[in-house]
Amino acid sequence: MILAPQNQDKTIERAGLALRQGKLVVFPTETVYGIGAASNNPNAVAKLYEVKKRPQFNPLIVHCANKEMAFKLVKVTKLAKHLGDIFWPGPLSLVLTCLDNSPICSLARAGLDSVALRVPSHPICKKLLEIAGVPIVAPSANPSGKLSPTKVNHLDEALISHCTEVIDAGTCSAGIESTIIDARNEAPVILRTGPITNLDIKNQTNMHCIYPKSKQGNSPIAPGQLESHYAPFANVRINATNKKKGEIFIGFNTPNADLHLTETGDLIEAAAKLFDLLHVADKMNPISIAVAPIPNIGIGEAINERLARAAAPRN
Ligand code: TXA
Ligand code: MG
């Protein structure tokens, strides 16, 4: 069932218990809606991969109610402690080496000896994680390869039919998925750009993020980082400066566009609206969706990464 916002208090509790019992639940985070399962329950995790049609080589992010719960699962490095102190709770995931006796099942990690951890700041998510009492794996709540949901009306009917609860908390504020940093060594290695930018990390820690070696040459940088991703049904044409016949044109400070990521050049506003406008444009059944150029600075880098994947050739 979909929970109306006014009934949330009673029902977050029911959703937390459902997670603990191995059921799937859709819940809000500050980035995008997630579909959660108990990370220590291989059957629940297997069901999650199945309903999302997600390849099992693509590991999941483990969500924890607080930093202490997260750091009990891994070998904590100086860098992880530093980043966790500054950016948690918030839209940052840290990849660390998983402890041998960690309860996170191997399937959740796609068999890797590392795990990505996240401590979300969304109050409903935090409460849900506290009630669940176990770390929760939660990919974005979309069929694998499709657009991430930032509102419940973006959710795929078939996907949510497998979920015991769907918690509606309106629009996710950041609108794009968490930044992922490999924090196993001394320097932060950026695996996925997101709401916390390289500049935020530099300003707050005085450290420069580095890109993984495999990023050079455009090959995948983390398991599951497939080229085509975040794909609407319609084709996507990026860096468009005009609208062609049959297209819906999404603008960035572009007066003649059909839909506007921002009318003032605000990149944070554009990130928050990105998936919603792609969903809206897609529902209009255009020949393709044209998107104006986005400045590649700050969170613009994360927006461009999502758009490049949305526009990549499909399998
Ligand atoms: O904002 C978010 O992170 C959202 C919300 C729901 O929390 N979740 C999310 O999960 O974006 P998902 O499954 O859509 O993306 C997880 C990404 C994948 O690209 C995966 O390859 C990477 O995290 N990942 C997970 N574990 C990893 C690991 N051990 N090493 C490297 N990459 C990892
Ligand atoms: Mg995703």
Side-chain angles (χ1 to χ4, degrees):
M1 72 179 285
I2 294 194
L3 305 176
Q6 63 271 25
N7 293 328
Q8 269 164 2
D9 270 1
K10 286 178 270 168
T11 47
I12 292 167
E13 180 154 1
R14 208 168 60 227
L17 296 177
L19 281 170
R20 207 190 292 186
Q21 289 163 2
K23 305 283 193 331
L24 305 183
V25 165
V26 173
F27 61 88
T29 81
E30 69 277 24
T31 59
V32 299
Y33 276 83
I35 175 170
S39 62
N40 60 349
N41 182 330
N43 290 339
V45 175
K47 170 119 200 227
L48 179 50
Y49 276 99
E50 185 192 315
V51 304
K52 253 194 79 107
K53 300 192 172 61
R54 181 181 178 106
Q56 292 199 357
F57 57 79
N58 189 2
L60 299 164
I61 296 177
V62 172
H63 296 60
C64 297
N66 52 54
K67 203 168 50 187
E68 293 67 35
M69 186 181 188
F71 281 163
K72 267 190 202 146
L73 306 169
V74 289
K75 286 186 192 149
V76 183
T77 60
K78 204 169 142 204
L79 172 63
K81 198 173 168 313
H82 195 175
L83 293 172
D85 282 345
I86 295 170
F87 294 108
W88 278 351
L92 177 71
S93 298
L94 297 177
V95 171
L96 289 159
T97 303
C98 199
L99 292 178
D100 287 340
N101 62 355
S102 129
I104 311 298
C105 69
S106 163
L107 181 58
R109 293 181 276 123
L112 299 175
D113 65 1
S114 61
V115 61
L117 297 175
R118 164 152 146 71
V119 178
S121 60
H122 193 294
I124 290 177
C125 179
K126 187 171 171 354
K127 193 165 173 195
L128 179 73
L129 293 169
E130 279 164 5
I131 294 167
V134 289
I136 298 297
V137 286
S140 48
N142 49 277
S144 189
K146 300 293 180 198
L147 290 174
S148 299
T150 56
K151 297 179 175 177
V152 291
N153 74 4
H154 298 157
L155 293 167
D156 179 86
E157 289 288 330
L159 182 65
I160 62 172
S161 70
H162 298 282
C163 299
T164 308
E165 309 282 356
V166 176
I167 304 175
D168 181 356
T171 305
C172 302
S173 57
I176 51 175
E177 303 83 352
S178 63
T179 304
I180 306 180
I181 299 278
D182 183 343
R184 283 174 290 186
N185 298 300
E186 274 176 29
V189 178
I190 185 132
L191 300 181
R192 180 173 74 183
T193 51
I196 292 176
T197 65
N198 292 357
L199 193 61
D200 294 329
I201 292 173
K202 170 152 189 311
N203 287 344
Q204 304 244 23
T205 66
N206 220 10
M207 281 188 282
H208 287 276
C209 285
I210 54 176
Y211 285 89
K213 286 202 186 75
S214 58
K215 172 83 179 163
Q216 291 147 20
N218 250 356
S219 54
I221 55 175
Q225 298 240 324
L226 307 171
E227 195 58 51
S228 171
H229 208 91
Y230 313 110
F233 287 99
N235 287 325
V236 176
R237 187 166 70 86
I238 52 178
N239 297 319
T241 49
N242 61 341
K243 170 175 166 160
K244 293 188 183 165
K245 199 161 172 257
E247 283 186 337
I248 296 291
F249 186 22
I250 300 182
F252 180 95
N253 216 0
T254 321
N256 297 332
D258 300 308
L259 301 166
H260 301 272
L261 286 169
T262 170
E263 295 185 80
T264 61
D266 181 340
L267 281 165
I268 293 179
E269 180 192 0
K273 287 189 184 163
L274 178 69
F275 287 128
D276 184 43
L277 293 192
L278 288 170
H279 276 283
V280 169
D282 211 22
K283 287 203 175 115
M284 296 172 171
N285 288 322
I287 290 174
S288 67
I289 301 169
V291 188
I294 313 291
N296 204 39
I297 47 169
I299 201 168
E301 200 185 342
I303 299 174
N304 282 323
E305 190 262 351
R306 289 356 178 237
L307 284 171
R309 284 165 188 260
R314 321 249 167 107
N315 299 326

